[in-house]
Amino acid sequence: MTSPEPDDFSTYARETVAIAAGRPPRIPGGPVNTPVAFSSTFHAGSDVGYARTSVSNWEAFEETLGLLEGGYCLSFASGLAGVSAVLELVPIGGVVVVPDAAYSGTLARLDSLQETNRLTVRRVNAAETDAIARACEGANLVIVESPTNPMMEICDLRALATQTRANGALLVCDNTFATPLLQRPLALGADVVLHSATKFISGHSDLLMGALVVADHELRDRLHRIRSLTGGVAGPMESFLALRGLRTLALRIRKSQSNAMELATRLTSHPAVARVRYPGLPDDPGHDLAATQMDGFGGILAIEPAGDPASIEALCGRTRLWVHATSLGGIESMLERRRRWEDEPATVPEELIRLTVGCEDVEDLWTDLSAALDTLLESAALPAGTLHESPTRTSRSPLLRE
Ligand SMILES: *Cc1c(COP(=O)(O)O)cnc(C)c1O
């Protein structure tokens, strides 16, 4: 005897779907989670044959993320494996439009394909919808991020979807920063949603995985074939862990986002910070547009401290709670100066620090971050009395007692 199954998932909120979807049938004594199948091959007599084509743990993950994004999901070994798969859709000599400041790996991959004449790249400013629209003419594929990594610019996804469709191009939206809880690009008209599931989706900085989600089943079949033949597939353990992380996405995003909003607001009045980039701030250039296409502003922000790159780099190494490391979307807060990487585009300011805000106590985060920023003021030897005193700094933090 089996228990009743959940209703049609379309009747549930996305937070519920993240928890309830992708489960095995409710059979008495059966497992509540899909067991990890460590097997490269499967007994003959079924559609499942070999683990480069299909694995049960992918299916549980793909069903859940697909329902959240509103399309068919295909998982990949990493976000960049997803990028590479989607670029296989571009004919030889085709044209790809991309923001001039976006995830450095995507840009570097495109450059390497351009160097071998595989395709031509047009770089445009992500926030200039008209410029992107002009660049769409004759293009085969447009890849955007919104918000962009790490500049936090917002693209007008509805307008771009109209433009790309009119030009017969495909619109790919990298939804890594927003996640399907805050933004659903397919509903806004995008053809493909891309994820680095390494980030918020899995959420614990412990694995690499990627995903593509499409609404059109022919496109799904083409990408499925590309994945089977290029082989950038996720392992069963990663798929299991990514789905386990996805279960708590709503809780993590809510906390991370409220922490980010609070920190962004406080950072705007920190004397060592020249600029804060966060679409949740009412005077951010992307704020109004973000409010029309997102259900929240997310857990990532960028700051440009006033100072030379070396001192800014040094301040990143001075935090005790914030982790000085690359990557984002984990439960732990991290920061880094993006231009420390050679591949980071020169359109990103040397001073820019990307902050990925985790789920720690916001006062602990502020105490640690503002103290590290204060050292910039000290090293600039400002006159006494100009040091910023935060009204919210607490003395109870063990970080300060040390
Ligand atoms: C990290 C990242 C990627 C690449 O994903 P990997 O899982 O590291 O391969 C792509 N897009 C964005 C926006 C990212 O932050």
Side-chain angles (χ1 to χ4, degrees), residues 77-83 102-106 145 147-149 174-177 194-199 207-210 300 327-328 338 354:
S78 66
L80 216 44
V83 171
Y103 172 62
S104 55
T106 303
E145 297 167 1
T148 57
N149 181 359
D174 186 330
N175 207 26
T176 299
F177 273 33
L194 170 75
H195 276 286
S196 169
T198 310
K199 316 289 171 57
L207 62 91
L208 288 186
M209 228 175 110
I300 303 186
S327 199
L328 56 101
R338 282 301 287 172
R354 186 183 64 199

Side-chain angles (χ1 to χ4, degrees), residues 124-327:
V124 286
N125 185 309
E128 289 174 18
T129 310
D130 293 344
I132 307 186
R134 280 194 299 278
C136 282
E137 240 171 83
N140 300 91
L141 194 96
V142 178
I143 302 190
V144 291
E145 297 167 1
S146 191
T148 57
N149 181 359
M151 300 281 271
M152 302 305 296
E153 289 164 324
I154 305 295
C155 294
D156 188 339
L157 294 176
R158 285 190 189 89
L160 282 184
T162 308
Q163 267 314 318
T164 47
R165 194 142 300 163
N167 285 283
L170 286 177
L171 177 62
V172 181
C173 178
D174 186 330
N175 207 26
T176 299
F177 273 33
T179 84
L181 295 184
L182 303 182
Q183 176 170 275
R184 301 222 299 168
L186 296 180
L188 297 169
D191 300 291
V192 182
V193 174
L194 170 75
H195 276 286
S196 169
T198 310
K199 316 289 171 57
F200 283 107
I201 298 289
S202 62
H204 294 75
S205 310
D206 54 6
L207 62 91
L208 288 186
M209 228 175 110
L212 296 176
V213 191
V214 296
D216 180 84
H217 60 88
E218 273 173 38
L219 194 52
R220 175 201 52 185
D221 292 348
R222 280 175 73 194
L223 287 166
H224 189 282
R225 177 122 181 104
I226 289 169
R227 181 180 65 177
S228 298
L229 296 178
T230 52
V233 297
M237 192 69 197
E238 279 77 4
S239 307
F240 177 89
L241 287 173
L243 179 55
R244 186 165 80 162
L246 187 50
R247 300 293 188 212
T248 57
L249 180 64
L251 296 166
R252 289 183 286 106
I253 285 279
R254 204 173 290 140
K255 175 77 167 151
S256 149
Q257 170 167 274
S258 79
N259 281 354
M261 186 69 213
E262 182 62 31
L263 294 177
T265 307
R266 292 187 194 184
L267 284 162
T268 53
S269 49
H270 194 290
V273 177
R275 176 161 186 187
V276 181
R277 296 170 179 265
Y278 183 63
L281 293 172
D283 55 358
D284 187 87
H287 176 78
D288 292 347
L289 182 55
T292 69
Q293 63 187 24
M294 299 179 79
D295 297 323
F297 304 106
I300 303 186
L301 56 121
I303 56 174
E304 287 162 41
D308 59 284
S311 325
I312 293 169
E313 181 74 40
L315 106 79
C316 293
R318 250 179 238 130
T319 54
R320 294 171 172 223
L321 179 59
W322 291 77
V323 181
H324 183 202
T326 195
S327 199

Side-chain angles (χ1 to χ4, degrees), residues 386-402:
T386 57
L387 269 191
H388 179 64
E389 270 308 323
S390 162
T392 48
R393 179 178 293 177
T394 72
S395 56
R396 65 164 181 84
S397 165
L399 292 168
L400 280 190
R401 272 204 305 272
E402 275 183 22

